[in-house]
Amino acid sequence: MKLFYFSFTAMASPCELRLYASSPRQAERAARAAIAEVQRIEHKYSRYRADSIVSEINAAAGGRVVSVDDETAGLLNYADAAYRESGGLFDISSGVLRRAWDFQSANLPSGALLEALLPLVGWHKVNWQAPKIALPTPGMQLDFGGFGKEYAADCAARVCKAEGIVHGLVELGGDIHALGPHPDGRAWQVGVRDPRCPERATAALALQQGGLATSGDYQRYMLVDGQRYCHILNPNTGWPQPDSFASVSVVAPLCLLAGTGATVAMLKGVAAGRQWLQDLSLAHLWVTQGGDLGGSLCPEDRVMGLASPTVE
């Protein structure tokens, strides 16, 4: 059995498949199917595509009802459950806040603009009763960006398994689903980025099977007067959580669950976020603003030999 690598771009991110297969033909067949599945999900749920179901729902904002298919209904039900379990912090209607934030600049949004946008935020305002959904206020929007890549990673892994691949790994822009370990039983060693030096790994996590996702303040952010403002925004205030982690990594049976857990922990802040992860019994690693590591996955050896955030 040989390890095959396939690189591609999707969801504005570099992606890679690492698949053990008995032949190049089997590996290529699985890779084609997995990449097609990721592209299907991107086309269906991207807010940037006018023909996506998300754009259709958003265009109907103001009360017009849209009927959705079973897959979309399942994702909306998941978003509803995540909203309730997180105390309203995981909110797929909060993407509208990006109108106020330009992370390419060093200019904070005006209070007036945020005040104008906040009434458009709130999943509890959405009329959702499967299979029908309606956004009651013109200008409201849904955004699946908070869990789209994670869901796609899980779907791609499922497609690979259907093609007979039992050892391999799917990575979509840092969101990972391991189908199974290396054939000799070794776990995949996944480097977790140092939030203040992202080209290096601050730790390595062993992943046998399931999902791994990381949320952090180092990918999209701005520095203003020495203060870091990241793109993970509290839907209640329109601002990043001021006392949050630098990053949180979570391992769960599905990448979708791992990503939601990590994002909510970031939004809750250090004290409440640690308690949230412990209460959910999610395996996790957190990094504080000062560089301290902790959590149930915290390694004794801080870097464990990885010089960069790669997968081995």
Side-chain angles (χ1 to χ4, degrees):
M1 190 172 289
K2 183 179 178 182
L3 179 59
F4 296 87
Y5 298 81
F6 302 89
S7 298
F8 62 103
T9 299
M11 301 180 178
S13 302
C15 306
E16 185 173 63
L17 306 175
R18 301 186 180 202
L19 307 177
Y20 280 98
S22 57
S23 68
R25 182 177 179 182
Q26 182 192 25
E28 290 168 4
R29 184 173 62 244
R32 283 196 302 268
I35 293 169
E37 177 70 351
V38 173
Q39 292 171 339
R40 180 191 70 82
I41 293 168
E42 181 175 14
H43 293 169
K44 186 172 182 178
Y45 296 115
S46 172
R47 69 174 186 267
Y48 299 109
R49 293 181 61 94
D51 58 349
S52 74
I53 183 61
V54 171
S55 293
E56 180 182 353
I57 293 169
N58 292 343
R64 183 161 62 86
V65 174
V66 175
S67 294
V68 302
D69 65 296
D70 289 345
E71 181 183 32
T72 304
L75 288 173
L76 290 170
N77 282 337
Y78 177 81
D80 177 71
Y83 176 82
R84 289 184 280 105
E85 291 296 324
S86 67
L89 290 177
F90 190 88
D91 190 332
I92 64 171
S93 73
S94 64
V96 69
L97 295 171
R98 68 181 177 275
R99 297 179 187 171
W101 288 88
D102 177 8
F103 290 97
Q104 300 301 316
S105 73
N107 300 314
L108 295 176
S110 70
L113 180 53
L114 283 175
E115 286 298 319
L117 291 174
L118 284 173
L120 301 178
V121 177
W123 172 254
H124 63 283
K125 303 173 185 178
V126 176
N127 299 316
W128 165 236
Q129 187 169 2
K132 299 182 182 300
I133 187 167
L135 308 183
T137 307
M140 286 191 76
Q141 295 183 0
L142 300 186
D143 184 351
F144 283 23
F147 61 79
K149 278 201 288 96
E150 294 92 333
Y151 174 67
D154 292 332
C155 291
R158 185 166 59 248
V159 166
C160 288
K161 290 179 181 178
E163 295 291 341
I165 306 296
V166 295
H167 301 284
L169 183 141
V170 174
E171 180 180 2
L172 306 182
D175 293 318
I176 292 172
H177 187 120
L179 288 77
H182 294 279
D184 61 4
R186 288 181 299 115
W188 299 93
Q189 297 294 321
V190 182
V192 176
R193 294 182 185 277
D194 182 335
R196 296 299 172 262
C197 189
E199 66 274 11
R200 294 188 57 83
T202 193
L205 302 181
L207 185 63
Q208 289 270 354
Q209 190 171 27
L212 168 62
T214 299
S215 290
D217 67 1
Y218 54 88
Q219 291 181 314
R220 280 192 293 149
Y221 67 94
M222 66 172 73
L223 288 173
V224 180
D225 296 330
Q227 177 70 40
R228 181 180 293 255
Y229 297 86
C230 80
H231 73 285
I232 304 173
L233 304 175
N234 187 313
N236 299 313
T237 66
W239 291 85
Q241 184 68 23
D243 61 340
S244 191
F245 300 99
S247 74
V248 178
S249 299
V250 173
V251 172
L254 294 174
C255 190
L256 178 61
L257 298 174
T260 303
T263 298
V264 173
M266 288 287 296
L267 286 167
K268 282 183 172 288
V270 171
R274 290 173 63 179
Q275 190 63 51
W276 154 265
L277 293 166
Q278 292 170 9
D279 290 346
L280 291 180
S281 298
L282 290 173
H284 63 279
L285 171 74
W286 45 257
V287 183
T288 66
Q289 298 288 335
D292 294 327
L293 276 67
S296 60
L297 295 175
C298 185
E300 293 183 7
D301 183 347
R302 179 180 172 84
V303 180
M304 297 181 64
L306 284 187
S308 62
T310 57
V311 178
E312 294 182 349

